[in-house]
Amino acid sequence: MDTKFSVAVHVMILISESPTPMNSDQMAESVGTNASYIRKILALLKKATIVDGHRGVSGYTMTAAPEQLTLLQIYQAVMEEPKIHLLDIHQNPNDQCVVGRHIRPVLTDMFADIEQAFARSLADKTLADCIADIRKRIE
């Protein structure tokens, strides 16, 4: 299971809510991973122009307000395939079997519907929504 998306949301919340810019070592401590992995995630976010950071300057900043940044934008920034791809179909179904002959088109259509619903759900949520949920849990 790929955790880049959840790590990206975690670091985006840290960047958004920290009163001072945080560096990758500080973020890695919060995430529970190593700083090199955090830098990899930050490089993907920077490439997508979601965060900004400069060599020699400690810390990262967001390029948009949390209310303007959807979870879909974050997902697409850090996943290798920007198109939502959650489910795979097994290889080599037997065409001599009635199920094997028809399983691919049935699952392909069904999986496409599920992935579109997932993308719509991510597009409906913002980083600000995640921050608000964290604040509710703190209270």
Side-chain angles (χ1 to χ4, degrees), residues 12-19 62 66 131 135:
M12 291 300 299
I13 292 170
L14 289 172
I15 292 168
S16 172
E17 297 304 293
S18 177
M62 293 179 50
I131 293 166
R135 288 185 177 146

Side-chain angles (χ1 to χ4, degrees), residues 11-136:
V11 300
M12 291 300 299
I13 292 170
L14 289 172
I15 292 168
S16 172
E17 297 304 293
S18 177
T20 59
M22 294 182 74
N23 63 39
S24 58
D25 290 323
Q26 294 165 315
M27 291 181 214
E29 186 174 328
S30 176
V31 173
T33 190
N34 62 60
S36 65
Y37 185 68
I38 297 298
R39 286 189 293 273
K40 177 182 176 183
I41 300 296
L42 288 166
L44 294 168
L45 292 167
K46 187 174 178 182
K47 182 179 178 186
T49 68
I50 292 174
V51 298
D52 196 18
H54 301 284
R55 207 183 250 327
V57 176
S58 183
Y60 292 83
T61 56
M62 293 179 50
T63 59
E67 298 80 15
Q68 297 171 327
L69 187 58
T70 70
L71 295 186
L72 181 60
Q73 291 170 298
I74 297 170
Y75 181 92
Q76 290 174 329
V78 298
M79 299 310 288
E80 304 300 322
E81 173 69 37
K83 181 179 177 267
I84 303 285
H85 183 78
L86 302 173
L87 305 165
D88 284 320
I89 300 171
H90 57 287
Q91 299 296 313
N92 306 317
N94 183 346
D95 283 340
Q96 302 304 310
C97 170
V98 68
V99 175
R101 186 169 42 254
H102 298 284
I103 195 69
R104 277 193 170 288
V106 168
L107 290 181
T108 297
D109 292 346
M110 187 182 307
F111 290 178
D113 290 345
I114 291 166
E115 289 167 349
Q116 288 171 4
F118 179 70
R120 283 191 304 273
S121 181
L122 289 179
D124 288 343
K125 301 280 188 221
T126 66
L127 188 65
D129 295 327
C130 294
I131 293 166
D133 285 349
I134 286 176
R135 288 185 177 146
K136 282 182 202 170

